[in-house]
Amino acid sequence: MSLREKINVLITQARYDELVNMALRDKGAIKYILRHLYHPFGIERWQAIEGLGRVCAALVHTEPETVKELIRRLLWSMNDESGTTGWSAPEAIGEIIYRCPDKFQEFISIVVHASEEEIFHRGIAWALGRIGQLRPEMVQEFIPLLISFTGHTRPEVRGYAAWALGQIGASEAVPKLAQLQHDHAQVELYEKQKIIYKSVGQLASTALHQINNRIS
């Protein structure tokens, strides 16, 4: 079995510990993880996002510059000049920062500045929420952007923005979130290594509950 085939098996079977060990032994494994990020939907891209985050969290202790270069590569894939579309690059960067927040905080604003490209709005919203789960203070300045995303034409952007605002605990978003509670559009989510679907309204209601709990 080739390295590419081994990586594909480990990702699709969510065997993350083995994936990390293999990537630490052979950095060539990382390029095969990255290939899964070019899918716009589906469980494989989420598994690759989680796997890449775990690999980087292990690698950062000995080779932080390698991880930085990987983040730069992901950012480049979001650029028109790269010749490719890194559909899941914002989510991948967000996952890496979530797992190593003190090392790569500087990249949060850089990935957010790609928000001019609409195809990345979904990923940027998710990345801010993912980081906000652990370090809400790192993403406070982007709350206005997330609030603006609650009015987005694409339901996955509205849904992820609502989810992110709940993770961060953004009390200023309450009026906008309240307006979304009857939005029945369905959104793909990745929870506990499975794909599930929730409506934008469900995500908004959960976010309001999280914010109210913090306030009280």
Side-chain angles (χ1 to χ4, degrees):
M1 188 181 292
S2 67
L3 179 60
R4 177 183 62 81
E5 291 170 329
K6 290 177 183 176
I7 294 302
N8 289 348
V9 168
L10 295 178
I11 286 175
T12 57
Q13 295 183 3
R15 290 156 58 183
Y16 296 120
D17 290 342
E18 294 173 66
L19 182 70
V20 168
N21 290 334
M22 186 168 289
L24 291 178
R25 291 195 305 269
D26 185 348
K27 303 302 184 300
I30 293 174
K31 69 180 179 182
Y32 296 118
I33 301 174
L34 294 176
R35 290 185 179 184
H36 291 267
L37 301 180
Y38 291 90
H39 298 287
F41 296 97
I43 192 164
E44 282 189 26
R45 83 180 189 99
W46 286 114
Q47 291 167 325
I49 289 165
E50 181 171 354
L52 185 65
R54 289 172 179 259
V55 167
C56 289
L59 193 58
V60 74
H61 299 293
T62 54
E63 299 185 42
E65 286 303 316
T66 298
V67 180
K68 275 192 175 183
E69 186 54 40
L70 178 57
I71 295 173
R72 294 188 188 103
R73 180 177 173 183
L74 289 166
L75 288 167
W76 175 246
S77 75
M78 298 169 65
N79 188 312
D80 286 340
E81 297 176 14
S82 72
T84 58
T85 302
W87 289 98
S88 305
E91 291 98 324
I93 295 169
E95 183 71 13
I96 293 168
I97 296 172
Y98 166 80
R99 293 180 181 274
C100 318
D102 294 318
K103 297 286 187 181
F104 305 118
Q105 181 180 358
E106 67 194 89
F107 289 103
I108 299 175
S109 62
I110 298 173
V111 73
V112 168
H113 287 156
S115 62
E116 295 178 7
E117 298 291 337
E118 185 178 349
I119 63 169
F120 298 122
H121 288 180
R122 168 190 70 171
I124 289 165
W126 187 88
L128 291 173
R130 182 64 164 154
I131 298 164
Q133 286 180 324
L134 185 67
R135 300 290 292 274
E137 75 280 4
M138 286 188 175
V139 294
Q140 287 288 321
E141 65 183 285
F142 305 112
I143 288 175
L145 176 66
L146 289 169
I147 291 175
S148 74
F149 279 173
T150 62
H152 205 282
T153 56
R154 292 169 57 194
E156 63 266 30
V157 181
R158 299 195 302 274
Y160 285 1
W163 171 80
L165 289 163
Q167 300 302 314
I168 298 166
S171 58
E172 57 267 56
V174 166
K176 288 291 187 181
L177 291 169
Q179 293 173 14
L180 287 180
Q181 289 187 92
H182 301 292
D183 187 330
H184 300 295
Q186 296 292 302
V187 178
E188 176 188 284
L189 298 168
Y190 179 67
E191 290 185 4
K192 298 179 180 178
Q193 301 180 2
K194 293 181 180 179
I195 291 288
I196 64 169
Y197 292 89
K198 290 185 178 180
S199 71
V200 174
Q202 286 176 301
L203 293 169
S205 295
T206 299
L208 285 168
H209 182 71
Q210 290 172 314
I211 292 168
N212 288 334
N213 282 346
R214 292 196 184 197
I215 293 173
S216 58

